[in-house]
Amino acid sequence: MKCSALWTALCVCMYGAMVTCSVKKLGNNTGRFANATLVRLNEFLSAGYKKGVRPVRDWRQSTTVAIDLMVYAILNVDLCMYFCTTQDEKNQVLTTYVWYRQQWTDEFLAWDPEEFDEVKQISIPTANIWVPDILINEFVDVGKSPDIPYVYVGHNGLVRNYKPIQVVTACSLNIYNFPYDVQKCSLTFQSWLHTTKDINITLMRTPEEVMNDKSVFMNQGEWELLHVLSTYNMFSVDKDDYYAEMKFHVVIRRRPLFYTVNLLLPSIFLMVMDIVGFYLPPDSGERVSFKITLLLGYSVFLIIVSDTLPATAIGTPLIGVYFVVCMALLVISLTESVLIVRLVHKQDLQSRVPQWVKHLVLEKATVLLCIRNKKVCSLLSQGSDLPLYKENNMNTAVHCNHHSCEGSRDAGRNLGLGLSTRDAGPPVMDGILREITTIRRFMEKKDESREIAKEWLQVGYVLDVLLFRVYLLTVLAYSITLGTLWSVWQNV
């Protein structure tokens, strides 16, 4: 035991003598490295350094790595194709540019500043020293990050490794509130191999300072940084060894102006034009063609914006539901217009309007909805005057024809014609009366069909106003509901 202790002391003395000799040797260098303090210090720090060994004198002591994160820019939040599953789903990816900082104490990289011209820190290559294996769990792709090959080392052994990183990480995006969505993506830093007995993780700053720090964030993009939350956690895989992790929750909010102008406003304009189309007369053929044109235009609009909307296999954004409902409303509006046009174009020999329809539509509905107008009343008055007008005209025609026949008979008698008008008179008069009766019946049937058509036209006008008001209330209620939801989400 005494021999081993003496041998250890002898080795320590020899190592110190070697270091002292090397320092003196460097101090006696001539040429271009003469009096080069940084060269002497670098030679001193690299002499006998083992970068593959954790830099502690007592192996029982863990190395504490303090880390910090500052978000510089949100480059992209996309649904890119990475690691497709059997269902060929789209993974959701967040691309950020962050300033990452980490520092730890290397007990083998300490010196006395008085021996090296009061040099208290030096930059040395990262490849020459021990670096902790701290990685990001959500890392899915290599970003275009600049290579920073140096670290700062202080005279007390404090190593500072500061570098910018472009991070491409997996993130579970909630796109239901698009484009008024707030996303929360995590960046989890942990040692991939070392347990807490070897490497522990802590924050360089307080969580409040990390949360409210937006000093370096570029605020001109699509996304706005709300805050960065940080939490420390310890977990175990096999219930024996515990690992430390530091999780940063990056909370960002989308600026919706671009999508409001290019998606919502065109859809709103098309819906407004659909409502305006109800003011076209239902008995004209222009309303149906107008609404068909709107439906085709909205279909083209949906094809154009389909690539802009985010989509996943597990959900659909509310704005997509909004577009589908608007398309359904346009189809309902077109169907209503077709039915009304069919109703007001009742042709001849159609059945009359049932009494219960007249009672409900022409009496109750007009009073309840206050849609009685002069046009309907004029149609009713015209329809009631038609039979009297027809009867007067027919009686006058028969009277005139009979008088003319008698006049012609008297004239023939007075002229002394050789014809026996008394014998020929009854057959001619019967034929004339039959023709006149046929014409009268035809006119009465035609007027009756016109009266039926006018009744159906009245029903069509009333139902058109009724369905238009119901449609308008539905569109307004739907718009107010969506507007309220989006405003609440944006304020939250």
Side-chain angles (χ1 to χ4, degrees):
M1 295 296 291
K2 293 182 179 180
C3 294
S4 61
L6 292 174
W7 178 254
T8 303
L10 180 61
C11 292
V12 171
C13 292
M14 290 178 63
Y15 178 75
M18 290 176 61
V19 172
T20 305
C21 292
S22 63
V23 172
K24 290 181 179 179
K25 185 178 179 180
L26 287 174
N28 295 328
N29 280 342
T30 58
R32 58 178 178 175
F33 296 116
N35 298 324
T37 305
L38 296 181
V39 175
R40 286 194 303 113
L41 180 56
N42 189 34
E43 294 272 344
F44 171 76
L45 295 177
S46 60
Y49 186 85
K50 302 296 182 181
K51 67 177 183 179
V53 180
R54 191 166 58 90
V56 291
R57 300 185 186 277
D58 185 3
W59 65 272
R60 301 177 184 84
Q61 181 182 356
S62 64
T63 301
T64 301
V65 180
I67 64 175
D68 189 21
L69 185 71
M70 291 186 292
V71 180
Y72 182 75
I74 305 295
L75 301 181
N76 194 15
V77 180
D78 201 359
L79 300 174
C80 301
M81 298 297 295
Y82 289 104
F83 305 115
C84 296
T85 62
T86 55
Q87 290 82 13
D88 196 25
E89 295 179 355
K90 292 182 178 180
N91 288 332
Q92 305 165 29
V93 176
L94 169 68
T95 305
T96 55
Y97 195 79
V98 300
W99 289 4
Y100 174 65
R101 302 189 297 174
Q102 63 180 4
Q103 62 183 23
W104 66 93
T105 300
D106 192 327
E107 297 180 6
F108 299 148
L109 295 178
W111 71 90
D112 186 4
E114 295 180 356
E115 296 180 3
F116 298 93
D117 296 338
E118 299 298 329
V119 175
K120 296 184 178 180
Q121 66 178 6
I122 185 176
S123 61
I124 59 177
T126 308
N128 296 340
I129 65 172
W130 178 87
V131 178
D133 59 336
I134 295 180
L135 303 177
I136 302 176
N137 288 346
E138 296 85 359
F139 183 80
V140 294
D141 193 19
V142 178
K144 299 178 181 179
S145 304
D147 185 19
I148 308 298
Y150 295 97
V151 295
Y152 258 132
V153 180
H155 69 282
N156 56 354
L158 182 64
V159 182
R160 292 179 294 169
N161 185 13
Y162 297 172
K163 55 184 177 181
I165 306 176
Q166 180 177 336
V167 185
V168 182
T169 56
C171 178
S172 179
L173 301 177
N174 183 12
I175 62 173
Y176 182 74
N177 301 335
F178 176 87
Y180 302 96
D181 51 336
V182 176
Q183 305 297 340
K184 182 179 180 181
C185 299
S186 301
L187 302 177
T188 305
F189 294 85
Q190 76 167 72
S191 174
W192 189 256
L193 177 64
H194 296 85
T195 64
T196 55
K197 297 177 182 178
D198 295 331
I199 294 179
N200 202 357
I201 302 176
T202 186
L203 279 176
M204 291 177 58
R205 299 181 293 173
T206 62
E208 290 75 16
E209 292 176 342
V210 175
M211 180 179 64
N212 299 318
D213 187 11
K214 303 178 186 178
S215 57
V216 299
F217 181 72
M218 295 180 61
N219 202 26
Q220 290 81 24
E222 178 185 353
W223 294 90
E224 176 186 1
L225 178 64
L226 298 181
H227 45 261
V228 179
L229 304 176
S230 57
T231 57
Y232 174 80
N233 185 31
M234 292 179 60
F235 67 96
S236 175
V237 178
D238 53 4
K239 297 183 180 180
D240 186 15
D241 296 328
Y242 287 87
Y243 297 86
E245 66 177 12
M246 185 65 66
K247 182 172 291 187
F248 294 94
H249 302 279
V250 181
V251 183
I252 55 178
R253 178 172 58 191
R254 193 192 305 267
R255 291 188 173 94
L257 181 60
F258 172 80
Y259 300 96
T260 302
V261 173
N262 293 278
L263 298 182
L264 291 179
L265 289 183
S267 177
I268 293 173
F269 291 156
L270 290 175
M271 295 303 297
V272 170
M273 291 305 300
D274 180 65
I275 294 174
V276 173
F278 278 95
Y279 287 94
L280 290 173
D283 54 342
S284 67
E286 298 297 331
R287 178 187 286 191
V288 176
S289 60
F290 178 77
K291 290 185 177 293
I292 291 176
T293 305
L294 284 179
L295 187 61
L296 293 176
Y298 202 85
S299 302
V300 175
F301 168 74
L302 289 184
I303 294 174
I304 294 174
V305 304
S306 60
D307 295 334
T308 307
L309 296 178
T312 60
I314 58 176
T316 303
L318 183 60
I319 192 173
V321 179
Y322 164 75
F323 288 146
V324 172
V325 173
C326 288
M327 175 68 78
L329 290 176
L330 290 176
V331 173
I332 293 173
S333 174
L334 177 60
T335 305
E336 185 269 342
S337 298
V338 171
L339 293 177
I340 294 299
V341 170
R342 175 68 182 91
L343 192 64
V344 301
H345 281 80
K346 287 285 185 178
Q347 300 299 324
D348 296 341
L349 303 178
Q350 294 291 335
S351 60
R352 286 185 173 272
V353 179
Q355 292 296 327
W356 63 272
V357 175
K358 289 183 179 180
H359 179 71
L360 292 178
V361 177
L362 298 181
E363 297 179 7
K364 298 296 182 180
T366 53
V367 176
L368 181 62
L369 300 176
C370 300
I371 58 176
R372 184 183 296 274
N373 50 40
K374 295 181 179 180
K375 191 170 185 179
V376 176
C377 295
S378 62
L379 291 174
L380 290 172
S381 62
Q382 291 176 5
S384 62
D385 293 340
L386 284 175
L388 180 61
Y389 174 75
K390 292 184 294 182
E391 184 177 359
N392 293 334
N393 288 339
M394 290 299 124
N395 293 333
T396 304
V398 174
H399 177 72
C400 293
N401 291 331
H402 181 69
H403 181 72
S404 62
C405 291
E406 290 182 353
S408 61
R409 189 181 299 115
D410 294 338
R413 187 183 299 110
N414 294 332
L415 291 176
L417 295 177
L419 297 175
S420 178
T421 57
R422 182 170 297 180
D423 297 334
V428 173
M429 289 299 300
D430 292 340
I432 293 174
L433 289 176
R434 284 195 298 269
E435 293 178 0
I436 292 175
T437 304
T438 304
I439 294 173
R440 180 176 180 179
R441 290 176 180 175
F442 174 76
M443 295 300 297
E444 287 179 351
K445 187 177 295 185
K446 189 174 181 179
D447 291 337
E448 183 180 2
S449 63
R450 288 180 180 177
E451 184 179 357
I452 294 174
K454 288 178 182 179
E455 290 180 354
W456 284 111
L457 179 62
Q458 297 161 17
V459 173
Y461 269 104
V462 176
L463 290 180
D464 181 62
V465 175
L466 175 62
L467 294 177
F468 166 67
R469 294 188 180 182
V470 173
Y471 179 79
L472 184 61
L473 290 177
T474 304
V475 173
L476 288 178
Y478 183 65
S479 303
I480 292 173
T481 303
L482 287 182
T484 304
L485 289 176
W486 277 329
S487 62
V488 170
W489 291 331
Q490 190 174 11
N491 293 331
V492 171

